[in-house]
Amino acid sequence: MSVSIGRIALRNVTRNKPRFVMTLLAVVISVLIFMTLDSAKRSWDSAREVSRQDRLVTRHKVTFVLPLPRRYVSRLTEAKAASGAPLVRRVTYAVWFGGREPNHEHEFFQSIAVDAESYFDVYDEVELTPEALSDFRQNLDAAIVGEGLARKLDLEVGDQVSLESPIYPSADGHPWSFRVAGVYRSRSRAVDTQSFVFRYERLNEALASKDRDQVGWLVSRTPPGADAQSTARAVDALFADSDVQTVTQDERAFVSGFLGMVSTVLDVVSVLSYAILVIVLLVLANALGLSVRERVREYASLKALGFSRGDVLRLIVLEGVYLSLIGVSVGIAVALVIIDFGIGQFFEQNLSQFFPIFVVRPETLLSAGLLSVALGVLAGFVPAWSTARLPVGAALSRLG
């Protein structure tokens, strides 16, 4: 009997083909939205997994926009921990340049002025040839470009690049000109390959005297075995009595603070992704309600032939489960293609610092699979319960 009920339920799913197709499309689109939102939130959270625990970022206490005196670099380099050992083992600094390439105005990438001597020691995940590093350290016009950005802007070593900056316009009104000294790769997702790096001295010399010797933020590496949070507090204590006080955070906290609004939005997105499943439930419930109401006399006939109320209830609930499983399965297949080979690759290539691993996670697949069964049961239970309890005579007298 149970096998027969399963076959009947499966056939009932596609009896009204136009309704089945429309319901299927609605479920597929809802599942796609759910999996995209859930994957985005998990991708953002995954940045914590790839961030360096031994790398600290120090910024102005009030806001990231305000600069720090460059003399803080030497103070931090010379600072000692309570044990007498160096507080940090390497320090570098950078300034946000905000450059845009005139021929690619809509391409966003990070452009920063850095200390040529220390930057690539602190970010030792970067793979750069000795020749490129030597060129960068010896020539003011040299720049280092990530391989992802090089592909995007079609750049090669030796090419000239022009950048326009709304923050630091050039003195002669023309775009800043740089020469690509090298293209870097990264061994870790903690460092993206969408950055344009040039020498701080180039920028500093072009500024008015009152604006010189200011940096955007400091980046330091903690000694092996040191606690990052304790070191961060010690760094801030070092500048607590200075005119410009600081806030020191680990790498991930700094990035989250830099795009704090995005983090808040993604928390809301996490809630909305499950709200999408309510829409799936309503769509399924509506489709099943219409289907059951049209076939109420058929269910009465089944009971007249000896099927029990429980059989009818299982028949309708199974129809809901089958419809949900089909829709969710197709939705998962579509989502895997669109996210893993489309949206995900775009985010990994263009915003890898914030979305380093943008793929459909097993947790998302498991959630979608389990919830599909639950939604099918919930969507089918109400019409199943009312139909199973309806007397045969009353059901047969309905016009449908």
Side-chain angles (χ1 to χ4, degrees):
M1 182 70 73
S2 60
V3 175
S4 299
I5 289 176
R7 290 178 177 175
I8 295 172
L10 188 58
R11 291 178 60 187
N12 284 343
V13 170
T14 57
R15 282 182 63 175
N16 190 321
K17 289 182 173 53
R19 181 185 297 147
F20 169 71
V21 172
M22 295 302 294
T23 303
L24 183 66
L25 287 175
V27 174
V28 168
I29 293 172
S30 298
V31 170
L32 174 60
I33 295 173
F34 164 74
M35 295 184 67
T36 301
L37 295 179
D38 192 65
S39 297
K41 182 62 171 63
R42 293 182 187 276
S43 177
W44 177 267
D45 292 339
S46 71
R48 295 188 180 91
E49 302 170 8
V50 301
S51 62
R52 294 288 294 261
Q53 299 298 315
D54 63 344
R55 192 154 51 213
L56 304 177
V57 181
T58 302
R59 62 168 177 84
H60 196 289
K61 186 175 183 179
V62 177
T63 173
F64 170 78
V65 176
L66 295 177
L68 297 173
R70 187 165 62 153
R71 65 178 183 274
Y72 279 17
V73 177
S74 59
R75 288 185 60 184
L76 182 55
T77 301
E78 297 168 0
K80 302 293 184 180
S83 63
L87 182 61
V88 296
R89 59 191 176 98
R90 197 68 166 116
V91 183
T92 191
Y93 55 89
V95 176
W96 182 266
F97 184 67
R100 293 288 186 274
E101 207 280 323
N103 296 322
H104 300 81
E105 294 183 356
H106 301 293
E107 295 289 355
F108 171 81
F109 56 90
Q110 175 179 255
S111 57
I112 53 177
V114 306
D115 177 45
E117 298 300 323
S118 59
Y119 185 79
F120 293 108
D121 292 334
V122 173
Y123 289 93
D124 55 3
E125 306 98 322
V126 171
E127 293 181 346
L128 192 63
T129 64
E131 295 78 13
L133 183 58
S134 176
D135 186 355
F136 182 63
R137 288 175 171 172
Q138 293 177 15
N139 298 285
L140 280 179
D141 68 333
I144 301 296
V145 181
E147 62 177 354
L149 182 60
R151 286 194 300 268
K152 185 187 298 183
L153 302 184
D154 193 23
L155 297 176
E156 296 180 353
V157 174
D159 287 351
Q160 293 292 324
V161 183
S162 296
L163 294 186
E164 297 176 341
S165 171
I167 306 173
Y168 300 102
S170 61
D172 58 7
H174 293 92
W176 294 73
S177 180
F178 302 93
R179 176 180 52 83
V180 178
V183 176
Y184 74 84
R185 296 180 179 181
S186 176
R187 294 189 296 269
S188 168
R189 291 181 181 268
V191 177
D192 68 17
T193 59
Q194 300 290 328
S195 295
F196 186 98
V197 178
F198 66 96
R199 291 184 58 176
Y200 171 81
E201 291 82 3
R202 172 78 183 280
L203 176 63
N204 196 48
E205 291 179 3
L207 298 177
S209 57
K210 64 181 180 61
D211 297 324
R212 291 179 181 174
D213 296 324
Q214 304 285 320
V215 300
W217 63 93
L218 311 180
V219 185
S220 55
R221 293 284 294 276
T222 60
D227 179 69
Q229 299 303 318
S230 298
T231 305
R233 289 192 294 268
V235 171
D236 291 333
L238 181 66
F239 305 111
D241 296 329
S242 303
D243 294 337
V244 178
Q245 298 178 346
T246 63
V247 170
T248 301
Q249 303 166 295
D250 63 64
E251 194 171 64
R252 175 55 185 169
F254 172 75
V255 172
S256 298
F258 186 59
L259 288 182
M261 184 59 70
V262 175
S263 183
T264 302
V265 170
L266 287 176
D267 287 337
V268 176
V269 163
S270 181
V271 177
L272 290 178
S273 64
Y274 287 93
I276 294 297
L277 297 178
V278 177
I279 298 176
V280 177
L281 174 61
L282 295 175
V283 169
L284 290 172
N286 180 66
L288 283 172
L290 291 173
S291 177
V292 170
R293 187 162 61 249
E294 291 174 353
R295 298 199 302 269
V296 66
R297 299 176 70 181
E298 295 182 17
Y299 296 123
S301 299
L302 289 176
K303 287 196 288 184
L305 292 173
F307 283 75
S308 67
R309 290 183 177 181
D311 292 333
V312 173
L313 188 144
R314 286 195 298 274
L315 175 61
I316 299 174
V317 170
L318 273 176
E319 184 177 343
V321 172
Y322 287 150
L323 181 58
S324 177
L325 283 174
I326 293 171
V328 172
S329 298
V330 175
I332 288 175
V334 172
L336 284 171
V337 174
I338 292 179
I339 295 174
D340 287 2
F341 300 100
I343 298 173
Q345 290 189 356
F346 172 82
F347 275 90
E348 288 183 2
Q349 293 173 6
N350 296 278
L351 292 170
S352 59
Q353 190 172 4
F354 310 115
F355 299 95
I357 308 173
F358 202 116
V359 295
V360 176
R361 296 293 190 92
E363 298 92 333
T364 302
L365 288 174
L366 182 61
S367 297
L370 293 177
L371 288 171
S372 67
V373 177
L375 291 174
V377 172
L378 290 173
F381 183 78
V382 173
W385 178 256
S386 60
T387 302
R389 294 181 62 196
L390 191 66
V392 174
L396 290 174
S397 65
R398 289 191 177 186
L399 297 178

